[in-house]
């Protein structure tokens, strides 16, 4: 605990406040729950099991219930969200390190499962995300560990993701988490290239000369009118949009272009060691490690099959 705003810390003399329960139990996540009028701790146990505990003083903890997140383990995150911004549709999200999440409701002294495990992030690049509210508690911000990114012989283990806001939306087939890069990123961008109503073909690719650096790429098109794959080559790396399979492919990593019948709108955060992708209003996200080659400072948009009409392409350089 700290009495000086986090400048110094004192280890509580009666630790541990929660004794060992089983196996690997670790990674406590503590948050205040208004519905239960208690602090709640989400604690990883083993396999796909998580223990919830409650406390009124952060010192004395009582077991509440055990929940499971299919296809996930480790590093729980627990937080409330109002579905579609409606306070009457307040839910709780419990997610694991690999970004699978369950939707909960808190009432009658416990949590009940509203929706079982659903994936949020694709691929294996992003891991162990942690979230927090802004001061006005209007936005939930999440930052993940991009654990597979490497930078030559640099003595680091991956990188932190671009911070993104997390929201919850309800569709006919259930609840979806949505992510969007924080709006502060826009303040770091200067618009460098914008193209509208672009017709791509094998004989007529679009080429943009770029400067060395990081970029935000926004791509929008009508999925009903594009019947060929779209290839994006930039800084020596390649992104493939396999429209017939509704798939974005970067190396061996894949994610959907469109989720829940959304119009294809994809945002790419292109950096030296990674590409972070937000598709379908953020209902699908993915981080893939790569290494850009700044000897090839250009982007080429092309297709090898039928012509494809792209509504809008915007490339903005991130300036720090």
């Amino acid at each position: 605990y700290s009495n000086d705003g986090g400048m110094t810390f004192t280890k509580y003399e009666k630790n541990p406040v929660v004794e060992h329960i089983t196996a690997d139990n670790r990674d406590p996540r503590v948050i205040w729950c208004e519905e239960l009028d208690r602090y709640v701790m989400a604690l990883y146990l083993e396999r796909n099991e998580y223990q919830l505990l409650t406390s009124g003083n952060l010192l004395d903890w009582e077991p509440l219930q055990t929940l499971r997140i299919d296809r996930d383990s480790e590093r729980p995150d627990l937080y409330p969200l109002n579905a579609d911004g409606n306070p009457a549709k307040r839910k709780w999200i419990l997610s694991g390190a690999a970004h699978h999440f369950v939707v909960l409701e808190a009432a009658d002294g416990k949590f009940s499962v509203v929706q079982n495990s659903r994936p949020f992030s694709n691929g294996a690049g992003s891991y162990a995300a942690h979230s927090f509210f802004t001061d006005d508690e209007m936005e939930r911000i999440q930052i993940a560990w991009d654990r597979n990114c490497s930078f030559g012989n640099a003595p680091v283990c991956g990188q932190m993701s671009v911070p993104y806001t997390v929201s919850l939306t309800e569709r006919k087939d259930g609840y979806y988490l949505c992510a969007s890069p924080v709006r502060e990123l826009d303040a770091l961008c200067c618009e460098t290239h914008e193209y509208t109503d672009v017709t791509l073909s094998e004989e007529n690719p679009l080429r943009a000369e770029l400067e060395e650096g990081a970029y935000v790429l926004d791509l929008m098109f009508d999925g009903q009118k594009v019947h060929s794959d779209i290839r994006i080559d930039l800084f020596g790396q390649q992104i493939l949009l396999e429209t017939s399979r509704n798939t974005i492919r970067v190396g061996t990593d894949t994610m959907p272009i469109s989720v829940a019948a959304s119009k294809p709108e994809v945002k790419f955060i292109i950096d030296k060691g990674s590409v972070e992708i937000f598709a379908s209003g953020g209902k699908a996200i993915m981080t893939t490690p790569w290494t850009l080659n700044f000897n090839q400072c250009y982007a080429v948009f092309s297709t090898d099959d039928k012509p494809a009409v792209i509504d809008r392409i915007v490339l903005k350089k991130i300036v720090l």
Side-chain angles (χ1 to χ4, degrees):
Y1 63 92
S2 176
N3 291 322
D4 55 11
M7 296 301 294
T8 61
F9 282 84
T10 301
K11 183 176 287 188
Y12 181 54
E13 62 183 9
K14 295 183 180 180
N15 278 339
V17 293
V18 176
E19 298 288 345
H20 179 264
I21 300 173
T22 185
D24 298 324
N25 63 211
R26 62 178 182 271
D27 302 338
R29 175 71 171 102
V30 177
I31 189 171
W32 176 259
C33 177
E34 293 180 359
E35 294 93 324
L36 305 186
D37 196 31
R38 307 278 287 175
Y39 290 103
V40 178
M41 178 192 297
L43 186 69
Y44 173 61
L45 296 181
E46 58 182 332
R47 298 184 296 276
N48 63 350
E49 294 184 343
Y50 297 82
Q51 175 80 63
L52 299 185
L53 305 98
T54 61
S55 173
N57 58 11
L58 293 174
L59 299 177
D60 304 301
W61 292 90
E62 298 178 354
L64 179 66
Q65 60 196 109
T66 300
L67 296 172
R68 292 177 173 81
I69 307 177
D70 292 340
R71 295 166 292 168
D72 218 323
S73 62
E74 298 185 330
R75 187 56 188 87
D77 198 5
L78 179 68
Y79 53 92
L81 287 175
N82 296 330
D84 301 309
N86 185 352
K89 298 167 63 176
R90 178 177 163 98
K91 308 298 178 187
W92 283 78
I93 305 300
L94 174 65
S95 60
H99 293 282
H100 290 79
F101 69 96
V102 296
V103 181
L104 310 171
E105 286 183 348
D108 301 323
K110 65 177 183 179
F111 290 88
S112 58
V113 177
V114 175
Q115 178 176 284
N116 287 319
S117 178
R118 169 171 274 176
F120 178 39
S121 180
N122 299 263
S126 182
Y127 200 72
H130 183 79
S131 67
F132 53 91
F133 271 129
T134 53
D135 288 343
D136 55 11
E137 296 197 356
M138 294 300 292
E139 288 185 311
R140 193 76 189 177
I141 309 296
Q142 196 168 71
I143 301 175
W145 171 35
D146 299 338
R147 59 179 177 171
N148 293 331
C149 300
S150 60
F151 303 90
N153 295 322
V156 297
C157 187
Q159 64 182 26
M160 305 312 294
S161 72
V162 169
Y164 49 89
T165 60
V166 182
S167 59
L168 186 67
T169 187
E170 185 179 13
R171 294 293 180 263
K172 291 181 179 179
D173 60 341
Y175 292 95
Y176 288 89
L177 280 178
C178 301
S180 178
V182 293
R183 60 181 179 273
E184 286 80 3
L185 183 64
D186 292 337
L188 302 177
C189 293
C190 59
E191 193 168 300
T192 54
H193 304 272
E194 181 174 358
Y195 310 90
T196 57
D197 297 324
V198 179
T199 300
L200 301 177
S201 66
E202 185 175 1
E203 300 79 18
N204 186 38
L206 172 66
R207 180 184 174 104
E209 301 298 328
L210 304 177
E211 298 177 350
E212 178 178 333
Y215 284 80
V216 175
L217 167 61
D218 290 312
L219 189 68
M220 286 145 279
F221 60 93
D222 189 337
Q224 301 299 316
K225 297 180 180 179
V226 175
H227 304 288
S228 56
D229 294 346
I230 300 168
R231 189 174 68 247
I232 306 172
D233 296 283
L234 69 169
F235 295 116
Q237 293 291 347
Q238 186 177 96
I239 300 168
L240 187 62
L241 281 76
E242 302 171 325
T243 58
S244 62
R245 297 183 175 90
N246 188 35
T247 297
I248 301 173
R249 182 179 300 278
V250 182
T252 59
D253 290 342
T254 63
M255 67 177 289
I257 299 173
S258 177
V259 176
S262 300
K263 183 178 180 180
E265 297 184 4
V266 189
K267 183 181 293 290
F268 304 87
I269 311 297
I270 299 161
D271 206 352
K272 183 176 182 179
S274 67
V275 56
E276 297 177 63
I277 308 174
F278 303 80
S280 198
K283 298 181 187 67
I285 64 175
M286 182 173 76
T287 298
T288 295
W290 65 11
T291 301
L292 297 183
N293 181 355
F294 291 128
N295 292 314
Q296 302 180 44
C297 287
Y298 55 81
V300 178
F301 302 81
S302 61
T303 177
D304 293 333
D305 199 354
K306 302 174 183 178
V309 178
I310 309 301
D311 295 342
R312 192 163 179 254
I313 300 172
V314 181
L315 269 163
K316 295 179 286 187
K317 186 177 182 182
I318 301 174
V319 182
L320 300 177

